[in-house]
Amino acid sequence: MFARTTPWPLVALFTAGYLAPYLLPTTVGRLESGLPISATEAGAIGSALLLSSAAAGFLLASRVDRVGPRALARAGLLLAVLGYGGAALTTHVPAVVAGAIIGGFGSGTVTAVAATGIAAMRDPHRITTLGLLGVSALAGAVYLTVPHLGPGHAQPLAAIALTALAVWPLTARLSPRTAPALPRTATGSRLPHLRSGLLLAAAMPCWSAAQNSLWGVSGRIGLTQAHLSEVTVGVVFAVALGAGLLGVVGAGALGPRLGQALPIGLGTALIAGCIALSASATDLTTFASGEIAWNLLYPVVLSYVIGLAAALDPRGRWAVLVGSASSLGTAVGPMTGSLLSARAGFPAMGTVLAVGLLAVAVPLTAVALRRRTTTVTTTHPARTDETVRLDVAA
């Protein structure tokens, strides 16, 4: 599907597509402080953005190879530039909402192209970790820079729009047309491994919701329960994002040596413990330990989950669908965390989320255990310089 090239265009598209979810906390906070809206309304705008992104993924999961990656990627980047850029340039709330929704659809479109291309590569896990490294580094830089650029809601939205604009030239290295159809024995017209794919897609919203339930209220935990200053909480978050970079680098170095089941199952269980620890924090040591350890583990497990979804279908349809399902969980996470903490308190919220994650770890691990990926190099019928990656069920 993609022209002969290094995977850097895919990494760039992955970074551009995932940047909006990574910047969600600062985007929502800036919307609340910069516009005449409540915290609930700002959160609703953030959720609308992510739901739009998920909708794009569901709609385009099986259409990337039909439309062509270059055209679809450029359409998504254009929507991101116009949507986020327009929202950054206005204080009219309905226009901001419309811009967030348009930009979110663009992000989802770009992510769909990236996920489809990554799934077709020989080592999707390695490319996924490069993409996570890129978006983590860029998001960290934005988090450190935005506070020095003055108040208002424009800065994080402008950062996403400018990233999409910067990625545009790399789309020239994507194929301008659809690829010839692969043999039916290799892909087929129907989704392969339907049971495993559906189980993975059903589990991911819960997995993502648990992560973002904590992320959405972490600032309040640090300020109100751990009795830390805003400056101290900001430093903890900066260090935690740095730990996330280390986690991505570690995942890339580890690669497939441990398979997929152990990193996903054990990693999710450890994340559950981190969430419970952070939610029960009453001092700096406990709060920082939970937040930093969680941010270290989260991208590691996410990279293996994305790689597992890619292994289910070399055409990338499951990777796109699972990513979109994850976006649904990301969208409802902050609201879930707020409701749970308001009704039961932060420690009880952490316990509920931890138990939920442990339950979700079971189907995720089961899918990983059922997969034994075999890489078969075969000549593409139309271009002898490319290979097609086949996955064989265990």
Side-chain angles (χ1 to χ4, degrees), residues 5-181:
T5 180
T6 61
W8 293 114
L10 300 180
V11 174
L13 289 173
F14 186 102
T15 299
Y18 269 85
L19 185 59
Y22 265 68
L23 294 182
L24 187 63
T26 188
T27 300
V28 171
R30 288 276 176 147
L31 287 172
E32 178 190 357
S33 63
L35 297 175
I37 58 177
S38 67
T40 302
E41 291 169 334
I45 294 175
S47 294
L49 185 159
L50 294 174
L51 287 173
S52 180
S53 179
F58 286 124
L59 288 173
L60 300 173
S62 62
R63 293 178 171 84
V64 175
D65 54 349
R66 301 178 191 174
V67 179
R70 182 189 294 179
L72 203 56
R74 287 180 171 176
L77 292 172
L78 179 61
L79 289 175
V81 171
L82 294 178
Y84 297 125
L89 293 174
T90 182
T91 57
H92 186 52
V93 175
V96 172
V97 173
I101 293 174
I102 293 171
F105 198 90
S107 291
T109 301
V110 172
T111 302
V113 177
T116 302
I118 289 172
M121 304 299 290
R122 297 188 62 182
D123 189 358
H125 180 262
R126 180 181 66 86
I127 303 172
T128 298
T129 55
L130 287 174
L132 287 171
L133 181 62
V135 71
S136 297
L138 182 56
V142 173
Y143 274 112
L144 292 174
T145 304
V146 162
H148 302 287
L149 300 179
H153 73 289
Q155 291 88 340
L157 293 171
I160 305 172
L162 290 174
T163 299
L165 189 62
V167 169
W168 180 282
L170 292 178
T171 60
R173 299 171 66 180
L174 301 178
S175 173
R177 56 182 175 79
T178 58

Side-chain angles (χ1 to χ4, degrees), residues 171-199:
T171 60
R173 299 171 66 180
L174 301 178
S175 173
R177 56 182 175 79
T178 58
L182 294 175
R184 179 170 293 274
T185 55
T187 58
S189 59
R190 301 170 63 181
L191 281 169
H193 310 297
L194 186 61
R195 182 182 302 176
S196 294
L198 288 175
L199 190 59

